[in-house]
Amino acid sequence: AETTTAAAGPIRAYKAFDQNMQCRGFQFEVGQTYEHDGPVKACESGFHACENPLDVWSYYPLDSRYAVVELGGDVSRHDGDSKIAAARITISAEIALPQIISDGIAYLIGLCKDAFALKSVAAASGGYSQLAASGYDSKLAASGYDSKLAASGDGSKLAASGYDSQLAASGGYSKLAASGDGSKLAASGD
């Protein structure tokens, strides 16, 4: 199910593109604003992006091009994740994989602080950080030297950056990304 509303102001989100900076055959360019005529409905019409940077991997592969965008006008939210369709999109800046990972960490930390008013347990950074999670659609992010992550469950997503980072994921639709000298990746499942 989706919810359609008028946006109160610009919504910061993240969008992925193919290597030609296209999405579904529509050509985008950094610095440009695009308007959609007609109704806006998540997964059907309008310009789509995700508020959670890590959600873009549900729709595009890791080797995509990424951008920070601003959404406005009528919006329709997807109930399954942070995907939003909007009547207006501005492609603010192209970013690289390490930046989308870093922004994803910040997003998860913000969710944890808002939800629990405690120090985040879903994201970690710093030397020797270690994380583990299990369950459907679990999402983890860590950065720092020797960071280690493990997740299991269908739809699990992991991202790590830093020297000697190590990741492991199992389950259908698992997705992994790592950057840094000596990084290691392992994945199993469909």
Side-chain angles (χ1 to χ4, degrees):
E2 294 84 25
T3 307
T4 302
T5 59
I11 299 170
R12 179 185 169 105
Y14 297 82
K15 182 161 184 59
F17 309 89
D18 67 15
Q19 292 301 313
N20 297 317
M21 203 73 169
Q22 293 181 353
C23 177
R24 295 183 169 252
F26 190 92
Q27 183 66 54
F28 290 90
E29 186 179 332
V30 174
Q32 297 298 311
T33 298
Y34 303 93
E35 298 279 342
H36 172 76
D37 291 328
V40 173
K41 187 168 183 182
C43 301
E44 289 183 24
S45 60
F47 295 107
H48 293 77
C50 298
E51 287 183 289
N52 178 350
L54 304 179
D55 282 344
V56 299
W57 294 328
S58 295
Y59 306 99
Y60 273 85
L62 291 173
D63 64 348
S64 299
R65 291 174 70 180
Y66 306 101
V68 175
V69 301
E70 284 189 5
L71 302 174
D74 288 344
V75 297
S76 175
R77 295 183 180 275
H78 184 258
D79 286 344
D81 58 18
S82 71
K83 184 178 183 180
I84 301 173
R88 184 176 54 256
I89 188 169
T90 299
I91 313 302
S92 301
E94 185 172 2
I95 59 174
L97 182 62
Q99 184 64 51
I100 204 162
I101 292 168
S102 176
D103 288 2
I105 293 167
Y107 182 86
L108 292 175
I109 289 171
L111 286 179
C112 291
K113 285 182 180 178
D114 291 345
F116 302 109
L118 297 171
K119 196 170 190 175
S120 171
V121 296
S125 64
Y128 308 104
S129 62
Q130 298 181 10
L131 291 162
S134 64
Y136 297 112
D137 298 317
S138 61
K139 297 174 184 171
L140 292 164
S143 65
Y145 298 112
D146 299 311
S147 61
K148 297 175 183 169
L149 297 113
S152 65
D154 294 335
S156 61
K157 298 175 185 172
L158 296 123
S161 63
Y163 298 110
D164 299 315
S165 60
Q166 298 176 2
L167 297 113
S170 64
Y173 311 107
S174 60
K175 298 176 182 176
L176 297 132
S179 64
D181 296 337
S183 61
K184 300 174 185 170
L185 293 161
S188 64
D190 297 335

